[in-house]
Amino acid sequence: MPDLERNKKELSFGRRLARLGAAWRRQVDHDLREYGLTEATWRPVLYLGLLPPPVRQTDLVRVLEIEAPSVARLLDVLERRDLVFRSPDHEDKRSKLVSLTEKGERTARQVRHAVEAVSSRLLHGISSPELLACYSVFERIEANLHKKPPPPPQTVAMR
């Protein structure tokens, strides 16, 4: 790929990735609308259904990549809807443990089904090798995110 074309692709890559991620989540939102769930409420339920229970509230904050006060408010909403319950963490008195209720477990299965249906729909026509190549690129981008950036070039004083 010529350098000019690659530069254009590099400049638009992040925006396109973000746009696709948002569109993907909107598709899941659409499929879960009948259950009264939005992205804000289905994502915690999904993760709580995938992670071994109970989940520390701080771990949920990390996996959701949302500020702790926002997660606490979300959990308040989910608790009022009888989807989750919180209990004290006896190992860490500052933390709470979060678990799904029976209703929450049923909802988590519905969420997982919706996510799988959207994935199936949106990945239709994409071959396994294409999907594996894309996944490999994502892994390398994630690895680059965790690398320390090189130090800025030092300015050399001219005399």
Side-chain angles (χ1 to χ4, degrees), residues 8-78:
K8 284 182 183 179
K9 298 280 188 213
E10 283 181 5
L11 288 173
S12 67
F13 187 86
R15 284 192 316 272
R16 191 166 192 182
L17 186 61
R19 192 176 73 237
L20 284 170
W24 196 294
R25 289 187 303 275
R26 277 193 305 275
Q27 289 287 309
V28 176
D29 276 353
H30 178 269
D31 287 11
L32 290 170
R33 189 174 298 150
E34 67 185 275
Y35 301 107
L37 296 170
T38 63
E39 180 183 349
T41 53
W42 65 255
R43 285 186 66 227
V45 169
L46 175 67
Y47 284 114
L48 287 168
L50 295 173
L51 298 169
V55 177
R56 275 200 174 101
Q57 192 165 320
T58 52
D59 293 336
L60 193 58
V61 165
R62 270 192 289 284
V63 75
L64 291 172
E65 297 178 334
I66 301 174
E67 297 293 324
S70 298
V71 170
R73 286 189 300 273
L74 275 173
L75 291 174
D76 289 342
V77 168
L78 295 173

Side-chain angles (χ1 to χ4, degrees), residues 125-143:
I126 296 172
S127 70
S128 291
E130 288 172 317
L131 186 58
L132 289 173
C134 187
Y135 209 83
S136 174
V137 170
F138 288 163
E139 286 175 340
R140 286 183 279 164
I141 291 170
E142 285 179 335

Side-chain angles (χ1 to χ4, degrees), residues 48 54-55 75 78-79 82-87 97-102:
L48 287 168
V55 177
L75 291 174
L78 295 173
E79 224 169 13
D82 190 34
L83 297 174
V84 303
F85 66 93
R86 289 179 271 196
S87 56
L97 298 174
V98 185
S99 299
L100 291 170
T101 62
E102 282 186 38

